[in-house]
């Protein structure tokens, strides 16, 4: 079961109303109304990695839980902006956090569905009681992989890291998960160069203008907006329905539904399709933007802190979807979660 969740963001704030490539004031307001993103916390050129934010969140959470770090059996780090190509950043975080050398450590390279898939993996590791305690870390410095001259991506994303602590309990009902993948759509969100399929080369940093306000290199993220929008409004509701039908969960009994913070228009469409009351769906887009794998736990920390830290048996359904293409949903009940105040780094 989940024992606590923590989150960390950079202290620097960027305001989309000061954006240079969104157009005039009227166009900026239309963009904000559509995406829901007013401000974003970004590393702003600092030598700050996703692992640094995940470390800060994990360190604070373990301290407030008063867990013995030698008792952490497994650590998972979900990120698309790791410290190095190798070694795995989870190994580095095991050492930084002072965990036992008996700790299982694993990196997962996923984006907006990453917390769901990370929770599914961690749940599988803990479910038989062989591992007792686990720490799921997420983090992305998404702004590093976006061109500041690309109005289709840069004003949408923020940087963040989170930590989720899980513990095996024979009495707990456990988490319930639905996950899916469709690699045929992998080009909908992609960075073409810099990997082992297309090595970094002399053309990788050449800027190319695709249309007005969209200039990027082959080391920047390409996001096919219409394709991703269609994917989100079809696959996310299906995932939620598959989860509740398989596990016979009553949708009306769910207290909160936390969606990946892709953009407001997209999340509103999914919520409407599922006929979920607006008061049950928290948003943190306006303050933090799309924070990739961290968006669901960040929303929980910043919007549901008081409710979840002071109550038992609150039912949460979460749904993430994005790069891969991959998506999934997760259901769990809370029990007085430990949720520290958000950390500014």
């Amino acid at each position: 079961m989940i024992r606590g969740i923590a989150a960390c963001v950079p202290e620097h704030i960027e305001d989309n109303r000061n954006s240079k490539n969104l157009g005039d004031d009227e166009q900026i307001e239309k963009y904000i109304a559509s995406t829901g993103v007013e401000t974003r916390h970004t590393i702003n050129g600092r030598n700050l990695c996703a692992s640094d934010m995940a470390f800060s969140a994990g360190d604070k959470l373990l301290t407030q839980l008063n867990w013995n770090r030698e008792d952490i059996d497994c650590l998972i780090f979900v990120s698309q902006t790791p410290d190095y190509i190798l070694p795995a950043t989870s190994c580095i975080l095991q050492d930084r956090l002072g965990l036992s050398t008996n700790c299982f450590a694993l990196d997962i390279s996923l984006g907006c569905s990453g917390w769901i898939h990370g929770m599914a993996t961690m749940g599988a590791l803990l479910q038989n009681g062989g591992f007792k305690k686990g720490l799921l870390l997420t983090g992305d410095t998404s702004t590093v992989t976006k061109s500041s001259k690309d109005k289709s991506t840069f004003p949408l994303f923020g940087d963040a890291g989170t930590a989720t602590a899980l513990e095996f309990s024979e009495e707990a009902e456990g988490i319930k998960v639905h996950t899916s993948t469709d690699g045929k759509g992998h080009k909908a969100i992609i960075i073409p160069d810099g990997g082992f399929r297309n090595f970094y080369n002399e053309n990788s940093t050449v800027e190319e203008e695709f249309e007005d306000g969209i200039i990027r290199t082959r080391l920047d993220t390409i996001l096919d907006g219409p394709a991703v929008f269609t994917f989100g409004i079809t696959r996310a509701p299906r995932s939620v329905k598959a989860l509740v039908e398989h596990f016979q969960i009553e949708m009306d009994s769910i207290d909160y539904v936390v969606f990946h913070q892709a953009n407001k228009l997209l999340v509103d469409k999914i919520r409407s399709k599922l006929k979920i009351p607006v008061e049950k769906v928290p948003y943190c887009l306006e303050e933090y933007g799309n924070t990739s794998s961290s968006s669901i736990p960040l929303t929980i920390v910043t919007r549901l802190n008081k409710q979840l830290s002071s109550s038992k048996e609150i039912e949460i359904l979460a749904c993430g979807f994005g790069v891969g293409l991959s998506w999934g949903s997760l259901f769990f009940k809370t029990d007085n979660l430990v949720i520290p105040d958000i950390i500014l780094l």
Side-chain angles (χ1 to χ4, degrees):
M1 65 185 305
I2 300 176
R3 295 300 190 188
I5 304 175
C8 174
V9 295
E11 61 182 0
H12 176 77
I13 298 173
E14 293 192 26
D15 192 327
N16 275 341
R17 289 188 171 87
N18 298 327
S19 176
K20 295 180 180 179
N21 64 345
L22 284 177
D24 58 28
D25 290 347
E26 183 179 353
Q27 290 172 312
I28 289 174
E29 292 303 326
K30 285 183 178 178
Y31 179 87
I32 291 174
S34 174
T35 64
V37 183
E38 297 182 29
T39 62
R40 300 165 292 115
H41 287 253
T42 71
I43 64 170
N44 191 39
R46 291 169 60 197
N47 185 25
L48 184 66
C49 289
S51 64
D52 298 323
M53 293 182 286
F55 165 79
S56 294
D59 186 55
K60 184 68 173 287
L61 183 58
L62 292 176
T63 299
Q64 290 204 198
L65 282 167
N66 198 29
W67 276 10
N68 185 337
R69 302 191 182 211
E70 289 288 315
D71 293 339
I72 307 299
D73 298 304
C74 48
L75 179 149
I76 294 173
F77 180 54
V78 181
S79 180
Q80 293 180 126
T81 52
D83 286 12
Y84 306 101
I85 292 176
L86 57 86
T89 306
S90 57
C91 297
I92 299 170
L93 285 165
Q94 170 271 329
D95 176 61
R96 289 183 67 182
L97 286 165
L99 309 186
S100 166
T101 54
N102 292 321
C103 179
F104 173 95
L106 175 71
D107 277 21
I108 296 178
S109 178
L110 280 175
C112 304
S113 68
W115 189 74
I116 302 293
H117 282 75
M119 289 288 288
T121 306
M122 185 68 77
L125 291 171
L126 295 175
Q127 67 179 347
N128 294 320
F131 289 162
K132 300 294 186 183
K133 292 182 177 179
L135 189 65
L136 171 63
L137 304 178
T138 71
D140 278 296
T141 48
S142 297
T143 56
V144 174
T145 61
K146 311 294 181 291
S147 168
S148 61
K149 300 176 182 179
D150 184 353
K151 66 181 181 182
S152 70
T153 59
F154 191 76
L156 186 61
F157 287 86
D159 303 322
T162 73
T164 305
L166 296 96
E167 184 176 19
F168 172 78
S169 170
E170 291 184 352
E171 292 76 31
E173 186 175 324
I175 61 175
K176 296 175 173 59
V177 182
H178 171 269
T179 56
S180 297
T181 308
D182 184 4
K184 291 193 299 292
H186 73 276
K187 291 185 179 179
I189 311 172
I190 190 170
I191 298 175
D193 285 6
F196 291 98
R197 176 67 62 187
N198 298 315
F199 285 110
Y200 173 90
N201 60 77
E202 66 273 12
N203 296 317
S204 296
T205 56
V206 175
E207 289 187 341
E208 184 177 352
E209 183 170 5
F210 293 87
E211 59 182 85
D212 184 39
I214 300 180
I215 300 173
R216 59 175 175 253
T217 72
R218 290 182 60 83
L219 296 176
D220 296 318
T221 301
I222 297 172
L223 192 153
D224 184 340
V228 173
F229 189 88
T230 300
F231 155 70
I233 63 172
T234 55
R235 299 303 180 95
R238 291 178 189 173
S239 177
V240 170
K241 290 178 180 178
L243 178 74
V244 299
E245 289 173 5
H246 180 77
F247 291 103
Q248 298 181 330
I249 300 167
E250 291 292 333
M251 280 294 292
D252 291 342
S253 71
I254 296 172
D255 296 291
Y256 299 102
V257 181
V258 186
F259 290 106
H260 162 58
Q261 303 289 284
N263 68 67
K264 189 175 186 300
L265 179 61
L266 177 51
V267 175
D268 282 347
K269 289 284 188 183
I270 297 170
R271 180 187 61 77
S272 178
K273 271 195 164 189
L274 291 168
K275 297 180 172 58
I276 302 171
V278 66
E279 62 270 16
K280 288 190 174 185
V281 181
Y283 292 77
C284 73
L285 272 162
E286 71 279 7
E287 190 174 357
Y288 301 100
N290 180 334
T291 52
S292 188
S293 60
S294 295
S295 77
I296 292 174
L298 178 63
T299 303
I300 292 172
V301 168
T302 59
R303 299 297 182 260
L304 300 177
N305 186 324
K306 292 181 180 179
Q307 298 92 317
L308 303 189
S309 60
S310 59
S311 302
K312 298 179 67 173
E313 293 295 314
I314 292 182
E315 297 186 359
I316 305 289
L317 190 149
C319 178
F321 45 90
V323 64
L325 294 169
S326 63
W327 64 100
S329 298
L330 172 77
F331 174 84
F332 61 95
K333 294 181 181 180
T334 69
D335 183 3
N336 296 311
L337 297 186
V338 172
I339 305 180
D341 291 336
I342 191 165
I343 303 163
L344 297 178
L345 195 60

